[in-house]
Amino acid sequence: MENLQWRLFPVLTLVASFLFLLYFRESSELSQSVCSLLPYDHYWMTGKRVVTPQGVISGAVEIKDGNIISIVKAEDWRKKSKTVPVIDYGEAVIMPGLIDVHSHLDDPGRVEWEGFPSGTRAAAAGGITTLIDMPLNSYPSTISTETLKLKIEAAKKNIYVDVGFWGGLVPENAFNATALEALLNAGALGLKSFMCPSGINDFPMTNASHIKEGLSVLARYKRPLLVHAEIQQDSESHLEVAHGKNDARSYSTYLKSRPPSWEEAAIKELLTITKDTRSGGPAEGAHLHIVHLSDASSSLDLIKEAKSNGDSITVETCPHYLAFSAEEIPDGDTRFKCAPPIRDGANREKLWEALMEGQIDMLSSDHSPTEPELKLLNDGDFLRAWGGISSLQLHGGVRGLPSLLHNIPRGTIAIGNHADIVVWEPEMEFDLNDDHPIYIKHPQISAYLGRRLSGKVLGTFVRGNLVYKEGGHAPAACGVPILAK
């Protein structure tokens, strides 16, 4: 029963294994009083369920100037001086803040879809302390040093959590090593590409040749390439859908339009390239990360085989693939449209098994909001509606902690790390309705609306600043851009 309960918690257990070579450019011109809901920067945080790398303890964490300076068990806590303020969270869980490596905040250029202020407020309310923003659906897309600078400027003084940025790998820059190096030198944490149309005009799809060139540049920087792995196949079912032989309001029609074979085809092609990332290979040092896997059968089997062969490859899935199944999606409810699509219940259970067994490396939100009009909620046309699940604050989650983080000052409650912490009550249940505070820009397009969820965030700390607690955020947005050097 406990395992099932943990599966339903609205948190994202997110891993950023490929951030270990980053330096974090952090500066704050704002005072503690506006950056935090606490009036002090040196304090103890105590509780009976503190999640550390050594296990869950009853104890206390000492925080000073944004960092964790000591951790003690309850029996030793009694011996400690209590001359500094103490926040006692009792039975609540105190654990590392969550890291979301895949989110679309659409800023600059499409702030009417989301934007840094609303998106990072939602992230903080959901216990996320660090997120990495995708190079699309903002406008212009982040595919050059100039467009990355626009992204950084838009983020400054507008983010409530720390935010990094992926750059884009597109045909325009794929064969221009100088341009890619400039983008990486400007601070992009890695690159992202699509193997199918992205739906964004200035972010066209790439093929295997583009990806191979991108990996050769990334190898020198030891940074990852994230890939949307779908290649359109002219299957009979797809052709029938394209010629209008199915009802566009039926979710089964949309599901047939993007079968698992699309994911399988893309991954097969990628694996002809990822062998170069093996030890001694021409792209050693590069890393390929497959985003939002939905097919838990042949596609996952291919990835497992590549890992066993020594390819430097990881894969993520998303909470919506674990929370929902095709059988329960009502016809016309385009809130559930995403790509790849949410598949059937049997596939969902296989994804859960793969995640629990460590075959899937991480979760990400793939928060992909838009204006409600583009979801065509009144028409219910799955073939024409914008695809994307709006979920940054409201999502499902799993047991466990980030396990692939290396040598960065966040991601675990450990001495010397940033005090990036979320405090929450996992047993608390609530109905997600109009009475629940929702901070994403357009809550009515969230697939989670109307659901009963478990887990209540009591406080989110970013570098020691209490940026969110029940009922509100800190007076100022003091998150900082995360840039690679």
Side-chain angles (χ1 to χ4, degrees), residues 125-165:
I128 296 168
T129 54
T130 302
L131 64 80
I132 317 300
D133 190 34
M134 281 291 165
L136 73 167
N137 306 317
S138 52
Y139 182 79
S141 294
T142 310
I143 58 174
S144 66
T145 55
E146 293 76 18
T147 51
L148 178 58
K149 288 176 183 176
L150 292 175
K151 180 77 76 171
I152 295 167
E153 286 303 313
K156 286 180 178 177
K157 298 184 180 179
N158 284 314
I159 50 179
Y160 285 82
V161 302
D162 291 350
V163 177
F165 314 96

Side-chain angles (χ1 to χ4, degrees), residues 335 393-394 429-439 443-444 446 448-453:
R335 296 177 304 161
Q393 175 188 346
L394 312 165
E429 294 187 349
F430 62 94
D431 293 316
L432 185 60
N433 53 35
D434 293 337
D435 295 329
H436 187 82
I438 302 175
Y439 297 97
Q444 67 268 42
S446 175
Y448 292 91
L449 199 63
R451 299 270 170 163
R452 186 165 184 80
L453 301 179

Side-chain angles (χ1 to χ4, degrees), residues 274-297:
T274 57
K275 64 179 185 294
D276 291 347
T277 66
R278 297 173 190 170
S279 179
E284 182 182 1
H287 179 84
L288 190 134
H289 179 69
I290 295 172
V291 298
H292 51 49
L293 181 79
S294 76
D295 173 32
S297 297

